[in-house]
């Protein structure tokens, strides 16, 4: 059999030679050879910014006979990641121009946790290279690398999740895990039926992209696998969004009102509603006081005494509470505008002007 | 019979190749080296930096430099850098890529965990408390370990630098040339012998800063020679400004000739650079330096390497790259064409 193949090869090569006078012959399109700098990795948060894994390959070098020039960009190289050796469920595909990819610990950890590996346990990540010459030709694949990776606790590094348009070109809002515990939340203003994704970077090549689990009835279940569906809200409007990357769930709550309460309005939940300024993404209310607020003031969400903005340790910053807490300081006397900026959920900022 | 089949295939394959016409970016691996130190490239890629050709097409950065005329890369290696970049496996990745592209390779041993240059030649933390004999062994072991890693992947560096910008020696204070030239010579020889043990044909470079400073070179290499120090090639850095490049080139040219006459060594210009805003002047400077280098008889000047040309966009606050802020090469690199 081998012999026959060789004869066929010889004939084929002979023919390609014969043609050379008139036709260009492309060479250098080959199966890539993929190598990793390590195949067993125990990731550690203490080394989060250090380079920990590098993949490199030789995907060939195109050349053409007969003096034709060839665009290297003809050759498209894609790195594929899967948790199964057969690649029946590809978790991520990255198209690359460089002939290597380098990962710092934090980026790799986010990636594999997003794929579904469990923190503290060794799991297999399979990687291979796909090279494609043109849309109508069959692709070539490299050897498959098996990487044994033990990630650390999810969500403990990335402080933000970005609400991204489904084409990953705009990132209008963000959620924050203020305690870096994988529990993200934030306030957004979107249209009804808005479709979105949650990403760990403001980039279309974000290493972790959450959508919803691809089955009916799983709108509020997060999935970072490549086959996820979009996330969406049937409500729209001003929303409080919470996402938990440990439990892979998210939730939305419609914010119907923000209202200021204090001595100045006898702690009325309805007397001083705030108005949303969509251009500046801030909430404002006009407050008239006759003396400094001795208990501070609170801003209630949906008129709730158990969901409000109150005191924090930092000037100009208030904290979102779901339990009893003090108000935040308000010492101005007279008529002023209170501004509340919730657009960066790491710190909910307020000012008095 | 089977062998015949293979033979036939091989012969035919050869026949085809022989008749090949022009191909894209064929690398000239003989003669004058036109190189780029691209040690930052993997870290730049990991941080999202992209590289584009003049037409705006995104390309692999090393391949792009090759298409611009570079036929060699220079890669530094640190012993145990805190964030891992430029350690031996990061070195391997870059060397493997260059080798895959058919480029020639220079390895630059700093013998430190971080930058070794005229202002600091700090021992690697793990070597800090070693006796001098242990230090000698550490230099040899590290050199062999790194080079063996390359060898196992089929990578053969053509040149290896023992120390980086060692105008006052290396591995301070033991190897400080001003206070103990003999120690510096001993440590250099430990590196030299280790290189030859792994790659007998590799040329060992001892590289100093300020290629225009003949008295520095005479002092250091006289000292090395007097203490039995070994080297094959004298390496030089040269970083002029737009105003003094012509004078520095002339001084460097005279220094090259003096070094060749004095020691019989070959010369390599291991590092050059100029402010990226002065691209037109940089091209003039490089063109002149390459012409002067090539004019030296017997091909004694082996090549010129631009230091980190791919650095752009305030990368590490380095401003002497040869790419503009959009990630495209400046005209400085036209000197390599």
């Amino acid at each position: 059999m081998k012999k026959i193949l060789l004869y066929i090869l010889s004939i084929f090569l002979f023919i390609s030679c014969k043609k050379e006078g008139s036709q260009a012959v492309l060479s250098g399109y080959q199966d890539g050879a993929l190598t990793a700098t390590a195949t067993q990795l125990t990731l550690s948060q203490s080394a989060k910014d250090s380079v920990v894994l590098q993949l490199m390959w030789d995907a060939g070098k195109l050349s053409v006979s007969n003096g034709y020039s060839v665009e290297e960009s003809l050759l498209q190289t894609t790195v594929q990641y899967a948790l199964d050796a057969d690649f029946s469920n590809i978790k991520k595909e990255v198209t690359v121009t460089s002939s290597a990819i380098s990962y710092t610990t934090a980026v790799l950890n986010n990636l594999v946790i997003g794929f579904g590996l469990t923190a503290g346990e060794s799991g297999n990540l399979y990687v291979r290279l796909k090279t494609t010459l043109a849309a109508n030709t069959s692709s070539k694949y490299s050897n498959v690398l098996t990487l044994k990776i033990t990630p650390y606790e999810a969500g403990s590094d990335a402080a933000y999740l970005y609400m991204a348009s489904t084409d990953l070109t705009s990132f209008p809002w963000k959620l924050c895990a203020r305690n870096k515990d994988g529990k993200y939340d934030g306030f957004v203003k979107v249209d009804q039926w808005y479709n979105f994704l949650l990403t760990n970077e403001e980039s279309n090549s974000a290493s972790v992209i959450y959508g919803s689990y691809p089955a009916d009835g799983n709108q509020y279940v997060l999935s970072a696998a490549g086959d996820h569906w979009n996330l969406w809200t049937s409500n729209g409007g001003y929303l409080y969004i919470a996402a938990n990357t440990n439990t892979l769930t998210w939730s939305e709550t419609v914010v119907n009102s923000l209202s200021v309460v204090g001595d100045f309005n006898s702690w009325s939940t309805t007397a001083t509603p705030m108005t949303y300024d969509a251009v500046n993404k801030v909430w404002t209310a006009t407050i008239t006081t006759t003396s400094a607020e001795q208990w501070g003031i609170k801003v209630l969400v949906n008129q709730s005494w158990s969901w409000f903005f109150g005191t924090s340790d930092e000037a100009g910053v208030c904290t979102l509470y779901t339990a009893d807490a003090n108000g935040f300081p308000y010492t101005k006397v007279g008529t002023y505008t209170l501004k509340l900026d919730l657009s960066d959920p790491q710190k909910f900022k307020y000012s008095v002007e | 019979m089977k062998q015949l089949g293979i033979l036939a295939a091989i012969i035919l394959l050869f026949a085809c190749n022989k008749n090949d016409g022009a191909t894209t970016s064929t690398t000239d691996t003989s003669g004058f080296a036109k190189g780029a130190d691209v040690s930052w490239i993997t870290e730049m890629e990991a941080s999202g930096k992209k590289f584009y050709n003049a037409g705006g097409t995104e390309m692999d950065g090393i391949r792009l430099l090759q298409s611009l005329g570079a036929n060699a890369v220079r890669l530094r290696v640190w012993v145990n850098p805190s964030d891992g970049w430029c350690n031996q496996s990061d070195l391997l990745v870059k060397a493997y890529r260059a080798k895959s592209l058919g480029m020639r390779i220079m390895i630059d041993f700093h013998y430190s965990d971080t930058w070794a240059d005229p202002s600091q030649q700090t021992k690697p933390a793990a070597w800090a408390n070693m006796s001098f004999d242990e230090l000698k062994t550490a230099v040899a072991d590290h050199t062999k370990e790194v080079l063996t890693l390359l060898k196992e992947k089929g990578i053969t560096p053509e040149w290896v630098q023992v120390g980086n910008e060692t105008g006052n020696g290396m591995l301070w204070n033991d190897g400080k040339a001003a206070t103990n030239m003999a120690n510096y010579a001993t440590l250099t020889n430990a590196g030299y012998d280790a290189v030859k043990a792994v790659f007998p044909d590799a040329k060992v470079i001892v590289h100093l800063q300020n290629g225009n400073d003949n008295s520095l070179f005479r002092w250091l290499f006289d000292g090395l020679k007097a203490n039995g120090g070994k080297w094959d090639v004298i390496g030089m850095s040269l970083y002029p400004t737009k105003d003094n490049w012509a004078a520095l080139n002339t001084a460097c040219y005279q220094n090259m000739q003096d070094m060749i006459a004095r020691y019989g060594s070959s010369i390599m210009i291991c590092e050059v650079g100029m402010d990226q805003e002065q691209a037109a002047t940089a091209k003039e400077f490089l063109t002149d330096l390459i012409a002067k280098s090539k004019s030296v008889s017997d091909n004694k000047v082996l090549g010129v390497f631009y230091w980190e040309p791919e650095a752009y966009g305030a990368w590490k606050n380095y401003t002497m790259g040869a790419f503009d802020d959009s990630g495209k090469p400046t005209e400085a690199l036209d000197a390599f064409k």
Side-chain angles (χ1 to χ4, degrees):
Chain A
M1 190 59 204
K2 264 190 178 163
K3 207 156 65 180
I4 294 167
L5 275 178
L6 281 164
Y7 285 132
I8 293 171
L9 180 65
S10 309
I11 291 163
F12 174 74
L13 285 165
F14 186 65
I15 289 169
S16 68
C17 283
K18 288 282 262 192
K19 275 188 178 175
E20 210 152 282
S22 54
Q23 271 186 309
V25 177
L26 181 77
S27 58
Y29 181 44
Q30 62 185 35
D31 290 341
L34 181 63
T35 316
T37 50
T39 52
Q40 292 216 14
L41 295 151
T42 301
L43 304 181
S44 155
Q45 191 169 12
S46 62
K48 69 186 179 68
D49 296 326
S50 293
V51 58
V52 68
L53 173 69
Q54 292 173 286
L55 305 172
M56 57 187 181
W57 55 86
D58 182 357
K61 191 164 153 49
L62 295 181
S63 58
V64 183
S65 65
N66 265 13
Y68 288 93
S69 66
V70 56
E71 282 288 327
E72 291 295 349
S73 55
L74 271 179
L75 196 64
Q76 192 181 61
T77 305
T78 307
V79 184
Q80 297 184 323
Y81 303 83
L83 297 187
D84 64 299
D86 301 331
F87 288 80
S88 55
N89 180 8
I90 291 170
K91 294 291 187 184
K92 187 180 170 81
E93 287 189 294
V94 196
T95 300
V96 287
T97 55
S98 61
S99 58
I101 293 187
S102 304
Y103 289 102
T104 59
T105 303
V107 171
L108 183 65
N109 197 69
N110 280 340
L111 189 75
V112 298
I113 288 285
F115 292 165
L117 292 193
T118 307
E121 292 177 19
S122 174
N124 282 357
L125 176 68
Y126 299 91
V127 189
R128 71 180 179 188
L129 212 65
K130 174 183 169 184
T131 42
T132 308
L133 188 56
N136 57 349
T137 59
S138 60
S139 298
K140 290 182 182 293
Y141 293 92
S142 72
N143 53 307
V144 174
L145 285 179
T146 307
L147 306 177
K148 292 189 182 304
I149 301 177
T150 308
Y152 56 83
E153 189 60 52
S156 47
D157 187 59
Y160 283 107
L161 279 180
Y162 299 91
M163 183 183 237
S165 59
T166 54
D167 60 359
L168 301 173
T169 56
S170 69
F171 303 84
W173 301 98
K174 55 190 176 185
L175 311 180
C176 183
R178 286 176 295 279
N179 298 319
K180 300 188 176 182
D181 55 2
K183 295 172 185 169
Y184 298 79
D185 67 4
F187 292 87
V188 307
K189 172 89 164 56
V190 294
D191 294 332
Q192 193 180 17
W193 305 118
Y194 182 70
N195 277 242
F196 62 97
L197 297 166
L198 293 173
T199 65
N200 69 334
E201 298 163 53
E202 282 180 287
S203 157
N204 63 3
S205 57
S207 58
V208 180
I209 300 169
Y210 291 104
S212 67
Y213 188 81
D216 286 333
N218 285 284
Q219 180 185 359
Y220 295 109
V221 177
L222 296 173
S223 166
D227 59 353
H228 56 62
W229 291 354
N230 291 337
L231 300 163
W232 73 95
T233 168
S234 50
N235 294 301
Y238 202 82
L239 304 173
Y240 171 76
I241 303 251
N244 186 327
T245 57
N246 301 308
T247 57
L248 294 175
T249 53
W250 73 285
S251 63
E252 56 173 318
T253 308
V254 176
V255 175
N256 293 310
S257 72
L258 293 182
S259 53
V260 190
V261 294
D263 278 341
F264 75 94
N265 67 0
S266 304
W267 302 91
S268 163
T269 61
T270 55
T272 316
M274 300 192 86
T275 308
Y276 186 64
D277 171 357
V279 174
N280 297 308
K281 296 185 173 182
V282 293
W283 292 82
T284 61
T286 304
I287 296 172
T288 302
T289 54
T290 53
S291 61
E293 290 289 321
Q294 59 177 325
W295 313 110
I297 58 172
K298 296 181 180 182
V299 174
L300 309 187
V301 183
N302 294 346
Q303 301 180 18
S304 167
W305 291 106
S306 59
W307 194 22
F308 64 92
F309 294 94
T311 183
S312 85
D313 295 332
E314 201 177 330
V317 174
C318 51
T319 305
L320 182 62
Y321 289 98
T322 53
D324 198 24
N326 293 326
F328 55 88
Y330 188 90
T331 54
K332 293 273 195 210
V333 177
T335 299
Y336 290 95
T337 301
L338 173 70
K339 277 190 186 172
L340 189 58
D341 180 353
L342 308 180
S343 61
D344 183 345
Q346 194 198 352
K347 284 179 182 175
F348 300 116
K349 298 188 190 77
Y350 72 92
S351 61
V352 183
E353 291 166 13
Chain B
M1 203 53 211
K2 198 163 151 190
Q3 284 86 336
L4 265 183
I6 295 170
L7 199 62
I10 289 169
I11 288 167
L12 285 163
L13 195 63
F14 258 89
C16 285
N17 282 344
K18 217 175 157 186
N19 291 332
D20 265 359
T23 55
T24 53
S25 55
T26 310
T27 304
D28 176 13
T29 54
S30 64
F32 198 77
K34 289 175 286 185
D37 189 316
V38 292
S39 305
W40 265 328
I41 199 161
T42 44
E43 186 180 2
M44 290 181 76
E45 288 164 352
S47 80
K49 282 268 192 281
K50 313 272 191 200
F51 305 98
Y52 304 90
N53 66 16
T57 302
E58 188 188 327
M59 283 183 76
D60 175 274
I62 301 177
R63 203 183 276 256
L64 173 55
L65 286 163
Q66 185 182 35
S67 75
L68 296 171
N71 60 15
V73 297
R74 176 176 185 259
L75 302 168
R76 69 177 159 273
V77 59
W78 287 322
V79 175
N80 186 20
S82 62
D83 56 7
W85 300 110
C86 294
N87 65 12
Q88 60 184 45
S89 53
D90 184 42
L91 170 81
L92 173 65
V93 169
K94 289 170 287 197
Y96 180 85
R97 292 167 64 172
K99 184 227 169 203
S100 300
L101 291 169
M103 298 177 83
R104 308 158 79 184
I105 295 166
M106 183 196 298
I107 304 299
D108 173 18
F109 281 94
H110 280 233
Y111 300 117
S112 185
D113 292 335
T114 182
W115 304 105
D117 59 38
S119 69
Q120 52 179 13
Q121 294 280 346
T122 309
K123 285 179 198 166
W127 304 2
N129 297 317
M130 288 181 171
S131 69
F132 186 71
D133 275 347
E134 288 169 337
L135 196 59
K136 232 167 49 179
T137 308
V139 166
D141 288 351
H142 169 66
T143 306
K144 284 184 202 163
E145 185 183 340
V146 170
L147 295 180
T148 302
L149 189 71
L150 299 178
K151 193 173 188 176
E152 283 166 356
K153 287 280 178 215
I155 300 163
T156 306
E158 197 171 331
W159 315 275
V160 179
Q161 257 189 244
V162 171
N164 187 70
E165 295 196 331
T166 52
N168 192 11
M170 60 188 187
L171 294 158
W172 291 349
N173 288 322
D174 293 65
K176 200 173 218 168
T179 50
N180 201 331
M181 187 66 85
N183 273 2
Y184 171 54
T186 302
L187 293 170
T188 299
N189 286 356
Y192 184 99
D193 293 339
V195 172
K196 300 288 180 176
V198 183
F199 291 114
D201 295 334
K203 295 194 178 89
V204 175
I205 303 177
V206 170
H207 163 227
L208 316 193
Q209 70 277 12
N210 298 342
N212 54 307
D213 185 351
N214 180 243
S215 58
L216 168 72
F217 278 72
R218 280 188 171 208
W219 171 74
L220 194 283
F221 284 99
D222 279 358
L224 262 189
K225 194 176 172 186
N227 287 281
K230 293 184 274 188
W231 71 89
D232 302 322
V233 178
I234 289 178
M236 303 180 176
S237 293
L238 198 66
Y239 290 96
T241 66
K242 69 176 168 60
D243 300 317
N244 70 8
W245 69 264
L248 259 58
N249 272 7
T250 301
C252 183
Y253 178 59
Q254 286 162 355
N255 188 30
M256 292 181 206
Q257 290 178 311
D258 184 54
M259 290 297 107
I260 293 163
R262 201 172 176 86
Y263 310 110
S265 303
S266 297
I267 306 294
M268 181 68 90
I269 308 299
C270 296
E271 293 184 19
V272 295
M274 189 183 274
D275 192 326
Q276 72 197 101
E277 310 258 298
Q278 306 296 336
T281 314
K283 181 186 167 184
E284 268 186 89
F285 152 62
L286 281 172
T287 306
D288 180 65
L289 185 63
I290 290 169
K292 281 190 165 66
S293 300
K294 285 183 169 174
S295 75
V296 174
S297 56
D298 297 332
N299 300 317
K300 278 295 212 183
V301 183
L302 307 177
V304 173
F305 284 70
Y306 201 103
W307 198 76
E308 301 282 12
E310 81 288 6
Y312 76 93
W315 174 258
K316 308 265 184 188
N317 294 317
Y318 187 71
T319 56
M320 291 197 278
F323 275 59
D324 66 21
D325 286 343
S326 67
K328 291 181 191 173
T330 68
E331 64 176 300
L333 292 174
D334 289 352
F336 278 0
K337 279 179 179 162

